[in-house]
Amino acid sequence: MSEKKIEFYKGPAGGWAALKSVSKALLAQDIAVKGAKTLLSANQPDGFDCPGCAWPDRNHASTFEFCENGAKAVAAEATARRVTREFFAQHTVTELAGKSDFFLEDQGRLTEPMVYDRASDKYLPIEWDTAFEMIAGHLNALPDPNQAMFYTSGRASNEAAFLYQLFVREFGTNNFPDCSNMCHEPSGSAMRPQIGVGKGTVTLDDFEQADAIFIFGQNPGTNHPRMLGELRAAAKRGARIVSFNPLRERGLERFADPQAKLEMATLGSTQISSHYFQLRVGGDFALVKGMMKHVVEQEDARGGVLDHAFIAEHTVGIEALLEDLRGESWPLLEQESGLSEAQMRAAGDVYLGAERVIACWGMGITQHAHSVATIQMIANLLMLRGNIGRPGAGACPVRGHSNVQGDRTMGIWEKPPAALLDRLRDVFGFEPPRTPGVDVVESIKLMLSGRGKVFIALGGNFAAATPDTYETWKGLRNCDLTVHVTTKLNRSHIVHGRNALILPCLGRTEIDVQAAGPQGVTVEDSMSMVHISSGINPPASEHLLSEPAIVARLAAATLGKRSKTPWLWLIEDYDRIRDKIEAVFDDFFDFNERIKVPGGFRLRNTASERVWATEPGKAVFCTHAVPLDTPAHRARARQLDKVVFTLLTTRSHDQYNTTIYGQDDRYRGVFGQRRVVFINAADIKHLGLRDGQWVDIHTVWSDGVERRADRFKLVAYDIPRGNLAAYYPETNPLVPLSATAIEAGTPTSKSIPVILTPHEATGSAQQADTTFAGA
Ligand SMILES: Nc1nc2c(c(=O)[nH]1)N[C@H]1C(S)=C(S)[C@@H](COP(=O)(O)OP(=O)(O)OC[C@H]3O[C@@H](n4cnc5c(=O)[nH]c(N)nc54)[C@H](O)[C@@H]3O)O[C@H]1N2
Ligand SMILES: Nc1nc2c(c(=O)[nH]1)N[C@H]1C(S)=C(S)[C@@H](COP(=O)(O)OP(=O)(O)OC[C@H]3O[C@@H](n4cnc5c(=O)[nH]c(N)nc54)[C@H](O)[C@@H]3O)O[C@H]1N2
Ligand SMILES: [Mo]
């Protein structure tokens, strides 16, 4: 563990520090030699898809692309450590509940199926078939299939996800909560009605041609390090890169590419952002509106600014938008964005000066109450000058999990389109359920109401990733059965239902042998590229099953003769699963042939062809008023005697979502600790507190429930006044279940109204729990 300190980081992102950090990660997993070899197979044509992020590879066909955090994700899976039945024999679950999230995952890979035993409060070994029969028994005893919930995390392959959604729909429900609900759900909800696709419209080639790249609410230096390579190349050829972020993220400022020999040898670096706007948390809506107002004022003053041909041929709704923009008030936009009129105009000028523009966004945009409207504003901005559907231009929501986009394509969706259900009916000969299912937040409510009885998770860490931690835990404990298909021990196995199973599976890096020989799976990246992924390491244990095998055997055990699907035959050879995928989705024609090409193939994206699969058959300009009734506005109006801050929760450089690798957040200067809260120095002074002092954080909400997270260290930081930042998942107890994005249901974990009080030690059980991560 590193020494605890706060020390401003002076270097660029990347560089030698990144290489050093990887060798540390390999050593920590006891895999220095095997690990290095494994890393060389990441994102190679005959290797596996990196389980890190969903950013595409420039050449899934050529050289090794170095990525510090990809390497850490691979090392975490390829670890030499094992969790055995002896480990479970030594620890009661109550004892494990006292351990941190870091400790749990650090025990290594799970090795055999385990079942919870109430009498001893321990997990005991169980045979695979017995486990499947137990789940089948619970599922088949439910009076209504809608009492079961089937979670998916975005690492599941297309093949696993396809079988899973088929099984669940044959079982009779659309209850598919998934990590997407907490992530890019608003991007899909915004863009589908607006441009007819719920995915980004650009490819990596567009990044080579863009004149300006706008980056909203994203921290690629940590979460998509390979994106920095693209940004560096763009900056070097003179493209403008404009970042909007309340924090000055180092990766958006300067980057030293570990692959560039000269840069490494000379300790040089490349400036990434030509413009950096530190707007207020949640200020993006007003900011983008300000940029558009500037564009329209320029059009009115000198003409020739808007792409009139594109607007006339391809869009509807421009009049209402123009009228709204002309009438918008600059002081209001300044107040809500935290930027001056001059700054918004400057950003607008970069937009006007560029022939081809890409807009990227991440969680800083999606995890707000008005995220859908904000994303529609971003798309409006692009459309004003025809920046969708031509080279070098377009929308780029940057996805998180490596196959989160593919899982949705495969039908992991609680609101399935009727066309998908019709095809499933025709291909598999059953009548799929037509009522929409529950998303993540609705699942938790279903559990709390007592109607949700069985919770099954294909990957992920539901107990730690979701909002309102203690409510969620009540819900999970309220279930008759919780089941986790998983690679490593985590909080969700400890906070479980009356009955519980842990089903350990193969990871991406491992060889998957079925009846027809070694199998590969496919994934879809953030730019709709589909390609094959084949593991290279021997399985972590001989008892592991692949995810497709687990799903198929569970389906066979549950559905029995009710199902016409040849479950066990399908998993003998994954080509057979892919043939079925092709039968259901037209875009997957010649699937098995096309994945033989190194790099795979791109799925059709109608918006990028300027074909608009929207209701009016055209792209739609959407008009929205500046939101003035957000939870933060309401909290401030109510708590006039206290300073109400808006807290954003984010990832450190040393974690993968709920998987904590270590306690350092190098680029933000935090070492050896995670319970910190970033705050403007003037706000510390105004509160009469000191830098380094311990505080408790309390949510300001209107339902009378006390939500708090205790003992965070104040760190004076370059962040706008009135805003705070702290790490997730420690802060999830602060996010109310009822705080969700309009029309998307995404927990608003980037804008929680909170107040701070000096820390008081009260020692209640709840507070002991709040130290669950990284303490
Ligand atoms: N190493 C690593 N890689 C990952 C992950 C990981 O945990 N570790 N997670 C994966 C997943 S699932 C995802 S979804 C992605 C997440 O990747 P990101 O989208 O980068 O997510 P966050 O780390 O939450 O960071 C969000 C950024 O938005 C900024 N921000 C917060 N609020 C606002 C706001 O109101 N406006 C603006 N403009 N900015 C704001 C924050 O300061 C931060 O820089 O990364 C994926 N890749
Ligand atoms: N406050 C706050 N909350 C957030 C966010 C935030 O920014 N702030 N971000 C949200 C976002 S964007 C997301 S995507 C969610 C993430 O939510 P999840 O996807 O549920 O969480 P992860 O931490 O990615 O899941 C990690 C676990 O996945 C399992 N795992 C790893 N690899 C595999 C595999 O190959 N197969 C299987 N079966 N299991 C595997 C391991 O057991 C590991 O413990 O969290 C959300 N929650
Ligand atoms: Mo995500």
Side-chain angles (χ1 to χ4, degrees):
M1 283 283 144
S2 342
E3 181 199 341
K4 270 196 193 354
K5 60 179 179 187
I6 306 286
E7 194 174 86
F8 181 65
Y9 184 78
K10 296 186 210 71
W16 291 101
L19 292 179
K20 209 170 102 190
S21 150
V22 168
S23 54
K24 218 169 103 183
L26 295 179
L27 286 173
Q29 301 296 343
D30 306 325
I31 49 163
V33 177
K34 175 184 129 196
K37 191 178 136 247
T38 308
L39 289 184
L40 290 171
S41 291
N43 294 342
Q44 293 302 298
D46 52 352
F48 54 88
D49 183 69
C50 177
C53 69
W55 187 257
D57 315 297
R58 177 144 288 282
N59 278 312
H60 212 87
S62 72
T63 53
F64 166 71
E65 251 191 300
F66 173 81
C67 167
E68 175 192 350
N69 279 350
K72 290 195 298 207
V74 170
E77 184 177 297
T79 178
R81 312 229 182 120
R82 297 291 177 266
V83 178
T84 57
R85 55 170 75 184
E86 288 75 29
F87 172 88
F88 285 111
Q90 280 159 16
H91 303 278
T92 62
V93 171
T94 307
E95 207 184 309
L96 291 174
K99 304 287 189 187
S100 71
D101 288 359
F102 172 79
F103 172 90
L104 296 176
E105 291 232 10
D106 199 43
Q107 301 313 302
R109 291 286 300 277
L110 292 156
T111 49
E112 60 182 320
M114 306 295 294
V115 62
Y116 180 66
D117 172 55
R118 233 166 305 168
S120 61
D121 186 32
K122 285 179 178 170
Y123 274 103
L124 309 177
I126 182 172
E127 292 296 323
W128 277 107
D129 280 331
T130 322
F132 293 133
E133 277 157 27
M134 176 175 160
I135 306 169
H138 276 270
L139 287 175
N140 288 329
L142 292 175
D144 176 354
N146 292 314
Q147 293 186 298
M149 296 145 288
F150 299 83
Y151 180 66
T152 312
S153 170
R155 269 195 203 181
S157 63
N158 288 335
E159 289 74 6
F162 180 78
L163 292 185
Y164 192 53
Q165 62 84 35
L166 179 63
F167 157 53
V168 172
R169 294 198 164 107
E170 284 202 37
F171 171 67
T173 180
N174 286 308
N175 282 350
F176 286 107
D178 74 337
C179 72
S180 208
N181 296 148
M182 299 183 270
C183 190
H184 266 291
E185 190 73 54
S187 302
S189 304
M191 293 194 300
R192 270 187 306 273
Q194 196 175 16
I195 61 170
V197 294
K199 304 177 181 182
T201 66
V202 296
T203 66
L204 283 183
D205 292 344
D206 294 314
F207 274 76
E208 284 181 350
Q209 298 177 50
D211 303 311
I213 301 170
F214 290 85
I215 303 173
F216 299 91
Q218 215 209 316
N219 181 21
T222 287
N223 298 317
H224 304 91
R226 285 176 298 112
M227 180 177 173
L228 289 190
E230 298 302 324
L231 296 179
R232 176 178 176 271
K236 278 201 174 298
R237 63 176 172 74
R240 296 305 171 107
I241 297 177
V242 185
S243 293
F244 301 98
N245 202 307
L247 306 180
R248 293 200 72 91
E249 304 286 27
R250 181 41 47 104
L252 291 169
E253 294 185 312
R254 276 189 296 131
F255 174 51
D257 190 346
Q259 242 135 223
K261 291 196 185 68
L262 186 67
E263 215 162 67
M264 291 296 276
T266 58
L267 298 182
S269 63
T270 304
Q271 179 183 339
I272 298 295
S273 296
S274 53
H275 301 70
Y276 207 114
F277 296 102
Q278 267 179 289
L279 81 181
R280 189 170 289 149
V281 172
D284 304 81
F285 181 102
L287 150 81
V288 179
K289 212 164 182 188
M291 287 173 71
M292 286 198 286
K293 183 171 172 68
H294 177 68
V295 168
V296 170
E297 286 182 4
Q298 291 300 304
E299 168 71 22
D300 290 346
R302 57 185 164 101
V305 163
L306 302 183
D307 184 339
H308 293 286
F310 172 80
I311 292 172
E313 191 186 338
H314 290 287
T315 71
V316 295
I318 186 75
E319 290 78 15
L321 180 66
L322 293 182
E323 193 186 317
D324 179 66
L325 291 172
R326 288 186 184 116
E328 195 53 87
S329 127
W330 280 112
L332 178 74
L333 296 176
E334 288 187 316
Q335 173 197 309
E336 294 303 311
S337 67
L339 298 178
S340 65
E341 177 183 334
Q343 285 175 308
M344 290 185 266
R345 287 190 188 275
D349 277 333
V350 178
Y351 178 71
L352 289 178
E355 188 50 41
R356 292 170 288 266
V357 177
I358 292 177
C360 305
W361 67 90
M363 295 301 102
I365 293 297
T366 63
Q367 296 173 337
H368 291 284
H370 296 80
S371 52
V372 170
T374 303
I375 293 160
Q376 292 185 334
M377 284 290 148
I378 295 174
N380 283 343
L381 174 71
L382 290 172
M383 281 154 50
L384 284 176
R385 284 172 49 83
N387 277 306
I388 291 189
R390 61 184 169 83
C396 182
V398 182
R399 305 273 159 175
H401 268 296
S402 49
N403 197 39
V404 63
Q405 186 159 316
D407 291 344
R408 189 51 70 86
T409 305
M410 290 296 109
I412 302 293
W413 198 355
E414 75 280 2
K415 299 179 191 72
L420 166 65
L421 301 180
D422 293 345
R423 284 300 270 276
L424 289 174
R425 177 196 60 206
D426 298 345
V427 174
F428 292 98
F430 72 103
E431 195 46 63
R434 300 276 162 171
T435 22
V438 288
D439 64 10
V440 162
V441 167
E442 290 161 349
S443 295
I444 298 167
K445 291 183 178 163
L446 197 66
M447 295 176 199
L448 286 168
S449 76
R451 278 179 294 124
K453 299 279 189 203
V454 177
F455 176 80
I456 299 181
L458 186 62
N461 186 359
F462 194 86
T466 49
D468 236 345
T469 309
Y470 305 107
E471 285 299 296
T472 297
W473 290 9
K474 259 190 242 163
L476 287 167
R477 290 180 171 130
N478 220 6
C479 290
D480 284 339
L481 174 68
T482 52
V483 179
H484 291 275
V485 178
T486 185
T487 51
K488 289 185 145 185
L489 190 61
N490 67 36
R491 187 67 45 194
S492 301
H493 313 140
I494 306 305
V495 180
H496 57 76
R498 279 180 281 282
N499 298 282
L501 287 162
I502 302 176
L503 305 181
C505 64
L506 293 173
R508 288 255 179 95
T509 55
E510 288 159 341
I511 301 164
D512 177 358
V513 180
Q514 303 295 339
Q519 302 295 315
V521 292
T522 60
V523 292
E524 173 186 342
D525 66 31
S526 205
M527 296 182 186
S528 306
M529 299 293 302
V530 178
H531 55 76
I532 192 99
S533 167
S534 314
I536 58 149
N537 288 332
S541 145
E542 57 179 341
H543 305 297
L544 302 184
L545 293 183
S546 74
E547 289 179 346
I550 292 173
V551 173
R553 287 174 63 174
L554 175 58
T558 307
L559 304 172
K561 294 204 170 57
R562 263 191 286 162
S563 173
K564 298 192 192 100
T565 305
W567 292 102
L568 303 179
W569 177 82
L570 282 173
I571 52 162
E572 287 176 3
D573 180 346
Y574 296 176
D575 280 2
R576 295 172 186 167
I577 308 176
R578 285 185 284 269
D579 283 340
K580 295 292 181 196
I581 293 175
E582 176 173 340
V584 172
F585 302 102
D586 294 341
D587 287 348
F588 284 81
F589 63 91
D590 293 340
F591 193 8
N592 278 310
E593 278 311 303
R594 286 195 293 163
I595 52 169
K596 289 184 187 145
V597 180
F601 61 93
R602 184 170 190 233
L603 290 172
R604 184 173 179 212
N605 185 300
T606 44
S608 72
E609 300 165 16
R610 295 194 165 176
V611 171
W612 313 103
T614 57
E615 224 238 320
K618 296 205 172 186
V620 180
F621 282 105
C622 302
T623 305
H624 302 282
V626 180
L628 293 174
D629 186 31
T630 66
H633 288 102
R634 288 200 293 273
R636 285 197 181 96
R638 241 190 355 261
Q639 294 270 338
L640 294 171
D641 54 329
K642 300 220 175 63
V643 185
V644 177
F645 291 90
T646 306
L647 169 72
L648 75 86
T649 64
T650 190
R651 293 151 173 81
S652 86
H653 194 64
D654 248 359
Q655 73 183 84
Y656 192 91
N657 298 336
T658 68
T659 302
I660 312 299
Y661 301 137
Q663 308 251 53
D664 295 349
D665 191 10
R666 193 167 73 237
Y667 301 148
R668 299 197 187 105
V670 175
F671 298 90
Q673 56 198 319
R674 288 178 53 87
R675 291 190 88 82
V676 296
V677 53
F678 299 114
I679 179 171
N680 188 295
D683 280 331
I684 301 185
K685 200 163 156 221
H686 179 77
L687 291 174
L689 302 173
R690 300 172 275 106
D691 189 9
Q693 184 171 344
W694 295 99
V695 294
D696 299 334
I697 313 177
H698 312 257
T699 306
V700 183
W701 207 247
S702 48
D703 57 3
V705 177
E706 187 192 19
R707 293 183 183 83
R708 57 190 293 172
D710 283 6
R711 208 167 165 275
F712 284 74
K713 193 192 279 177
L714 288 179
V715 173
Y717 205 75
D718 187 359
I719 181 172
R721 287 203 65 178
N723 291 167
L724 303 173
Y727 301 127
Y728 127 81
E730 286 86 337
T731 42
N732 261 338
L734 295 167
V735 185
L737 263 189
S738 53
T740 54
I742 297 162
E743 284 173 43
T746 304
T748 60
S749 37
K750 292 288 186 280
S751 50
I752 315 163
V754 298
I755 55 171
L756 298 178
T757 56
H759 171 63
E760 286 172 31
T762 59
S764 75
Q766 176 144 335
Q767 288 185 25
D769 274 350
T770 63
T771 61
F772 71 85

